[in-house]
Amino acid sequence: MALQLYAHPFSSYCQKVLIALYENDIPFELRQVGGDEQIMAELTALWPFKRFPVLVDGEHAIRESSIIIEYLGAHYPGPVRMIPENSDAALEVRFMDRFFDNYVVTPQQKFVFDRLRPADQRDPYGVKEAGALLDVAYRWLNETLRDREWAAGDHFSLADCAAAPALFYADWSYPIGAEFAQVRAYRQRLLARPSFARAVDEARPYRQFFPLGAPDRD
Ligand SMILES: N[C@@H](CCC(=O)N[C@@H](CS)C(=O)NCC(=O)O)C(=O)O
């Protein structure tokens, strides 16, 4: 039975998993969330928080994007190893994965969620704090990437799956300044990676729904 992925092509955490699937050419059936009541009912039964992606492999449901990618590596290994064998290298990969989720995606989403609130319920102070956090994240990442091709070193990994959509949408929400040349160059390397380029292309039809307005690039 084919793997099933409950996901939406425009969602950053879903793209993170799609990259891992495409990197190793792992076949799956997309159960596209949004619009279809039956699929939403299935997702709710699998994960009452209704967050996606969720991967279903026979009797097993795997939630949380990082755990899904770890699962794929353990059960559907391919030529691109998302978690290195060496335990110290693996820690660095997991650390960078946490960095992108916690210190890039979380503040980036603050911009988006704030825009979705009713005008009189907005949180400008919180948005300002999110921008300040992204300033620190961009600066720290810029230094960290000075001697790295990929997020955790020489090899594409889980950390790059997290980084690609994180930096893609972060730049749309709170632009990465010219002073962060390493981060901008890394974002371009990610966009050139065929797995992410495919995910970006598949999400193109949904750009009109980006609450902050999608820029005419990428
Ligand atoms: N920590 C989760 C985050 C998943 C998440 O927040 N997904 C978003 C889409 S990018 C979602 O489900 N949004 C729907 C909602 O919040 O109801 C992961 O890594 O999978």
Side-chain angles (χ1 to χ4, degrees), residues 11-13 16 49-53 64-66 101 109:
S11 135
S12 55
Y13 284 111
K16 175 175 163 182
F49 299 100
K50 304 179 192 179
R51 294 283 170 98
F52 38 93
E64 289 288 319
S65 54
S66 303
D101 281 12
Q109 288 186 332

Side-chain angles (χ1 to χ4, degrees), residues 38 97 168:
Q38 169 62 28
D97 171 63
F168 181 85

Side-chain angles (χ1 to χ4, degrees), residues 48-74:
F49 299 100
K50 304 179 192 179
R51 294 283 170 98
F52 38 93
V54 170
L55 182 77
V56 174
D57 187 8
E59 297 295 302
H60 303 288
I62 305 99
R63 300 95 177 169
E64 289 288 319
S65 54
S66 303
I67 310 303
I68 293 173
I69 294 173
E70 296 241 14
Y71 180 90
L72 291 172

Side-chain angles (χ1 to χ4, degrees), residues 168-187:
F168 181 85
Y169 288 118
D171 190 47
W172 280 15
S173 308
Y174 187 76
I176 301 166
E179 68 271 38
F180 304 123
Q182 305 290 339
V183 181
R184 285 159 66 121
Y186 172 54
R187 185 177 181 276

Side-chain angles (χ1 to χ4, degrees), residues 14 35 41 46 77 86 98 144 153 156 163-164 168-169 176 178 210-211 214:
C14 298
L46 290 164
N86 175 279
R98 294 299 77 228
T144 303
F156 193 92
F168 181 85
Y169 288 118
I176 301 166
F210 190 65

